[in-house]
């Protein structure tokens, strides 16, 4: 079997736009616009604040760590593992992977909502049994489509980004301009006073967390960096463009929907379509076909996002598995370097989540909101580990060669990372506040009890797995992290590298499993 490192790095097939499309598909999502719109014009303040204080630190720290020599495979597993110890790296990638198993279901809900509108088939979005089947058909079809490698993923992402994100955003922007220039009146005030939210209210702080998490995911695409044709130049450039474009498009999209859809009628899964309806109807009747076309395009964009996430965190988990932290069967890959057995396991877990969320997802259902909140706080814990790893890199390992640096000045690096860390801790604390949909003291108490117990259990899972897998596949004495993969050396001497990796982890493989010289690239702990 081929290993992912070999399969990915030996074929530098991703262009700047290809990588940008995969990353944008994971971060820039049109279906988030209704969430932004629910905050009125203050969404602009939230987007800029979250973008500058959280999204930018995550993006820049990812860019620097992904371009450290030999750190271009494994994503957060490699980054955090080399800085904080392998068990923390494994916990980081586990948390990143765990949260998306629920995220898949909520993303596909939007696809079903769009298709329900286009097909005039309400049951697709309201009947639990039909909705559950719809989730499974879409998810499993996208999972099997990934078995041919990331070349196909990049193609799907390019199509999804252009047709599912850019075109709907441009059309929405054009309709909004036409709406206001032809006498349209916004339903929300669009003045300086409405721009600043009231931070004295707890609900405002809870809403702010949703804006932070709307930017989440940019670090997951870094696992594809080793497949880029010019990673040193193109990776940082793609990230910087993405930060600017995400803030601009989210601002335009959210404001446009808030202007035409009453907050009391705004649906979080259908709000985008409602927004297009409101804008189109301003220009007259008989134009609903435009809304149907846009609904299909947005669904295509979300399909591309699901496609990108199916394989994103899986590469990092595979890197951990290759180092002996997963059962050998789960670490095997097909001829395209794809961990098919791991993706099948992921599919089973997503199927279970789909059943829990679809059949238990009533408006006041505690289990539904607990499941959603659990994935949020687990993901945030992953970001806390991520920032701690970067802070150690910035403080103690300026000697490690890297293609991109946030700044040559250490205080600048630390300031950006500490700001991101503070925002992450803030988001973690606020995420334990019971959602407003849960009414009554009993429901809130039950929610907090289940959430806290579940949180503690899930937090320990990766450390338990790590303990038993390292007991079975121990590292050599004194080694806290397997040798870092050197993508330059691996192409020159793949067989020798495979032997090195096998000796280091105590595992064997019949493929070239590249690993570089740890000296000079893996810092001492």
């Amino acid at each position: 079997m081929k290993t992912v490192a070999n399969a990915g790095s030996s074929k530098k097939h991703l262009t700047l736009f290809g990588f940008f499309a995969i990353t944008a598909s994971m971060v820039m999502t049109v279906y988030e616009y209704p969430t932004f719109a629910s905050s009125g014009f203050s969404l602009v303040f939230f987007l800029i604040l979250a973008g500058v204080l959280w999204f930018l630190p995550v993006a820049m720290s990812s860019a620097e760590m992904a371009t450290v020599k030999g750190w271009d495979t494994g994503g957060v597993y490699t980054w955090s593992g080399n800085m904080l110890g392998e068990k923390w790296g494994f916990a980081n990638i586990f948390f990143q992977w765990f949260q998306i198993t629920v995220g898949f279901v909520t993303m596909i809900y939007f696809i079903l909502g769009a298709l329900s509108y286009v097909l005039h088939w309400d049951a697709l979005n309201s009947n639990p049994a039909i909705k559950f089947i719809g989730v499974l058909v879409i998810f499993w079809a996208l999972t099997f489509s990934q078995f041919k490698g990331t070349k196909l993923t990049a193609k799907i992402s390019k199509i999804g980004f252009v047709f599912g994100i850019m075109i709907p955003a441009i059309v929405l922007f054009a309709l909004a301009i036409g709406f206001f220039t032809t006498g349209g009146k916004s339903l929300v005030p669009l003045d300086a006073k409405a721009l600043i939210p009231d931070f004295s209210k707890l609900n405002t702080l809870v809403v702010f967390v949703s804006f932070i998490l709307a930017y989440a995911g940019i670090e997951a695409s870094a696992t594809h960096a080793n497949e880029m044709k010019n990673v040193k130049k193109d990776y940082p450039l793609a990230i910087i463009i993405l930060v600017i474009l995400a803030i601009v498009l989210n601002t335009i999209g959210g404001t446009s929907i808030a202007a035409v859809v009453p907050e009391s009628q705004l649906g979080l899964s259908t709000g985008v379509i409602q927004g297009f309806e409101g804008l189109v109807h301003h220009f007259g009747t008989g134009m609903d076909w435009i809304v149907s076309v846009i609904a299909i395009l947005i669904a295509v964009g979300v399909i591309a996002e699901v496609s990108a996430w199916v394989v994103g965190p899986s590469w990092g988990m595979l890197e951990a598995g290759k180092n002996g932290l997963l059962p050998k069967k789960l670490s095997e890959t097909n001829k395209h370097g794809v961990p098919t057995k791991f993706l099948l396991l992921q599919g089973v877990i997503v199927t279970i989540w789909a059943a829990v969320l679809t059949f238990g997802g009533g408006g006041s259902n505690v289990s539904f909101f607990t499941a959603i909140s659990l994935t949020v706080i687990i993901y945030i814990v992953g970001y806390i580990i991520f920032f701690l790893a970067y802070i150690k890199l910035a403080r103690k390992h300026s000697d490690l060669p890297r293609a991109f640096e946030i700044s040559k000045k250490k205080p600048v690096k630390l300031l950006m990372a500490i700001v991101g860390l503070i925002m992450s801790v803030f988001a973690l604390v606020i995420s334990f506040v019971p959602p407003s949909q849960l009414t009554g003291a009993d429901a809130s108490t039950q929610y907090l009890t289940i959430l806290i117990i579940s949180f503690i259990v899930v937090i320990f899972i990766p450390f338990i797995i790590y303990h038993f897998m390292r007991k079975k596949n121990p590292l050599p004495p004194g080694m806290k992290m397997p040798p870092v993969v050197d993508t330059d050396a691996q192409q020159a001497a793949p067989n020798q590298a495979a032997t090195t990796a096998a000796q280091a982890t105590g595992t064997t493989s019949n493929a070239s499993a590249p690993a570089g010289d740890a000296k000079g690239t893996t810092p001492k702990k």
Side-chain angles (χ1 to χ4, degrees), residues 283-300:
F283 298 98
T285 58
M287 300 175 65
D288 287 344
W289 64 270
I290 296 177
V291 183
S292 296
V293 171
I294 292 296
I296 293 174
L297 292 178
I298 295 174
V300 169

Side-chain angles (χ1 to χ4, degrees), residues 88 91 94-95 98-99 353 369-385 424-425 427-432 446-464:
W88 291 101
F94 178 88
F95 295 148
F98 176 83
Q99 63 83 28
W353 277 124
F369 289 108
T370 303
I372 297 298
S373 297
L374 178 62
T375 61
V376 168
I377 60 179
I378 288 297
Y379 202 10
I380 294 173
V381 170
Y383 278 109
I384 292 174
I385 297 173
S424 299
V425 173
L428 177 65
V429 174
I430 293 297
S431 295
F432 280 94
Q446 187 180 4
Y447 165 85
L448 280 174
T449 302
I450 297 174
L451 181 60
I452 292 172
I453 293 174
S454 300
F455 173 68
I456 294 173
V457 171
V458 174
I459 282 290
F460 278 101
I461 289 177
F463 296 103
I464 293 172

Side-chain angles (χ1 to χ4, degrees), residues 187-188 257-267 274:
L187 297 176
V188 296
I257 292 174
V260 297
V261 182
E263 184 180 355
S264 60
Q265 300 175 19
L266 185 64
Q274 289 176 303

